[in-house]
Amino acid sequence: MPQINLISSVDQVAERLRSDLLHELWTGTMPGVLRLEIELGVNRKTVEAALQRLEQEGLLKSQGAGRKRLIAKVTRTSAARPMRVAILDYERAVIHHLGYMVRLRHELLEAGHSVFTASKTLLDLGMDVKRIDRFVGRTLADAWIVCSGSRDVLSWFAAGSIPAFAMFGQRAGLKIASVGPDKPNAMIAATKELITLGHRRIALLCHRERRLPEPGETERAFLAELAANGINTGAYNLPDWDDTIDGYYEMLDSLLRLTPPTALIVDEAPLFIAAMQFLASKGIRVPEKISLICTDPDPAFVWCKPTIAHIHWDANPLAMRIVRWATNVSKNRNDVRQSLIPAKFVTGGTIGPAPRS
């Protein structure tokens, strides 16, 4: 069973300051807590805890209360061996234009590795482990970053000899390094909010690997919360659909034509935007006729009125965790830690009381 760590604010601040020190942003003495508190936008207790951690690592040296810490002479950590790191995408989408993916590529290059996107995606390969086996065997790579893999796919990578990292996907309990948001509690909070508003017909729309061969942890939390409130659950609440654009729109059309749900929880921003477009084309107003929640944040949401109800989590720790894994692998250190990023439900203008029948 891999170790599961929750990436705390202290972890994030320590990693940021560690990187700045190794890149010689400061020399001589470290800025004081007050200045760092303002620059980083976090409270002084978090900054102080992060600085103490860097003292323990030997990067800083205390000069006593009220005096700035001395910066030890350090050299930027380099990989024991450069690696060719392949990114195996879930689908051909805009993921590589997202801020955390840009940062990830930059940080891996800074660490001395080369990074490239595999010529095929998981959807291109049909999530078929036999096809993935042949494809990985033909691809010259020392390590793989797998985006949103199914349980079968991540199990195959976990059992293999090539180092692999799971970014999102059904990874819980597998011996594979991973990172992703800790969504179950936030999903429960979102579901409770909808039920409090009178919603009984609620559907969660997510990709197939989140549903099969069995629902993921977040999806199970959703179904369990419905059941705890006396709502019978089944395929209606977690509908199946052909994992294509046409299949998604056909599912939406069928779902809304037969017994229209009063609320939709939609996994990932692209699916959420597609659902909003579909509803607009049918003249279905949000939230008057149907409430909408997205399970992820998106930079475009800040421009939306009404505001978007969603599950918020900080994407910055993603690159931090993956680069640390790559460094460990390059030094032949075993690293199968599973890291979780705190997540919370943020209410917004896309949810409202359930419409009267």
Side-chain angles (χ1 to χ4, degrees):
M1 181 74 68
Q3 179 184 352
I4 298 178
N5 288 334
L6 191 67
I7 301 178
S8 67
S9 56
V10 175
D11 294 328
Q12 295 180 48
V13 172
E15 181 64 25
R16 163 70 183 276
L17 296 178
R18 186 184 297 110
S19 176
D20 289 345
L21 285 168
L22 295 176
H23 286 83
E24 299 181 351
L25 182 63
W26 302 293
T27 57
T29 59
M30 193 70 179
V33 172
L34 180 59
R35 175 182 163 186
L36 292 174
E37 178 186 11
I38 296 172
E39 287 188 5
L40 300 175
V42 296
N43 64 62
R44 63 185 60 194
K45 289 184 178 180
T46 300
V47 173
E48 182 62 34
L51 291 172
Q52 289 177 6
R53 183 172 300 179
L54 297 181
E55 283 184 21
Q56 295 168 1
E57 295 175 9
L59 294 176
L60 298 176
K61 183 177 179 181
S62 174
Q63 297 192 93
R67 301 185 64 186
K68 292 182 178 180
R69 292 170 168 86
L70 288 173
I71 298 174
K73 187 176 181 180
V74 296
T75 56
R76 190 166 67 87
T77 303
S78 60
R81 57 184 176 91
M83 299 191 300
R84 282 176 53 85
V85 181
I87 298 176
L88 183 56
D89 277 339
Y90 174 77
E91 61 182 339
R92 300 186 188 280
V94 294
I95 185 171
H96 291 287
H97 298 289
L98 296 175
Y100 61 81
M101 291 303 295
V102 173
R103 179 185 174 191
L104 172 60
R105 286 172 168 271
H106 174 75
E107 292 289 342
L108 287 172
L109 290 171
E110 280 286 300
H113 306 297
S114 59
V115 190
F116 67 97
T117 303
S119 60
K120 291 186 180 296
T121 68
L122 287 173
L123 286 189
D124 291 336
L125 297 166
M127 290 283 182
D128 185 331
V129 294
K130 291 183 179 179
R131 294 176 64 187
I132 291 171
D133 186 8
R134 293 193 294 269
F135 177 71
V136 169
R138 295 194 305 265
T139 304
L140 182 59
D142 302 304
W144 288 80
I145 298 171
V146 185
C147 303
S148 301
S150 67
R151 187 72 176 183
D152 288 344
V153 167
L154 295 182
S155 295
W156 181 86
F157 274 102
S161 58
I162 300 178
F165 189 98
M167 187 166 69
F168 317 129
Q170 289 213 43
R171 62 208 183 273
L174 297 177
K175 288 187 176 181
I176 185 171
S178 71
V179 69
D182 186 18
K183 289 184 181 178
N185 287 335
M187 176 62 78
I188 291 171
T191 307
K192 282 183 176 179
E193 180 70 13
L194 290 174
I195 294 172
T196 299
L197 291 169
H199 295 275
R200 306 288 291 179
R201 301 197 304 272
I202 308 171
L204 171 58
L205 311 183
C206 57
H207 284 292
R208 179 163 291 177
E209 74 277 358
R210 299 298 314 172
R211 307 187 306 268
L212 300 172
E214 62 181 20
E217 186 177 3
T218 303
E219 291 70 29
R220 293 197 302 273
F222 163 70
L223 295 172
E225 187 60 29
L226 292 181
N229 284 273
I231 300 174
N232 293 328
T233 62
Y236 175 85
N237 306 104
L238 200 63
D240 189 27
W241 48 282
D242 181 30
D243 233 325
T244 63
I245 295 174
D246 289 340
Y248 183 60
Y249 278 81
E250 288 172 5
M251 178 272 295
L252 283 171
D253 187 60
S254 175
L255 191 65
L256 292 167
R257 184 176 64 250
L258 299 177
T259 309
T262 61
L264 293 176
I265 303 176
V266 188
D267 192 37
E268 302 180 3
L271 293 183
F272 180 85
I273 293 169
M276 289 194 72
Q277 182 190 47
F278 177 86
L279 294 171
S281 72
K282 300 293 184 180
I284 302 173
R285 294 179 59 83
V286 176
E288 289 83 0
K289 293 296 184 182
I290 190 167
S291 288
L292 287 181
I293 295 174
C294 185
T295 64
D296 286 312
D298 188 273
F301 288 173
V302 300
W303 287 92
C304 294
K305 292 183 71 174
T307 56
I308 305 296
H310 66 282
I311 292 176
H312 182 79
W313 49 276
D314 183 4
N316 289 323
L318 287 170
M320 175 183 78
R321 173 65 186 103
I322 295 173
V323 172
R324 180 64 63 85
W325 164 79
T327 298
N328 287 334
V329 170
S330 71
K331 295 181 177 180
N332 296 315
R333 296 173 181 169
N334 186 39
D335 182 354
V336 293
R337 287 190 301 112
Q338 296 195 344
S339 300
L340 294 173
I341 301 170
K344 64 178 181 179
F345 172 61
V346 178
T347 190
T350 54
I351 62 172
R356 294 181 179 179
S357 301

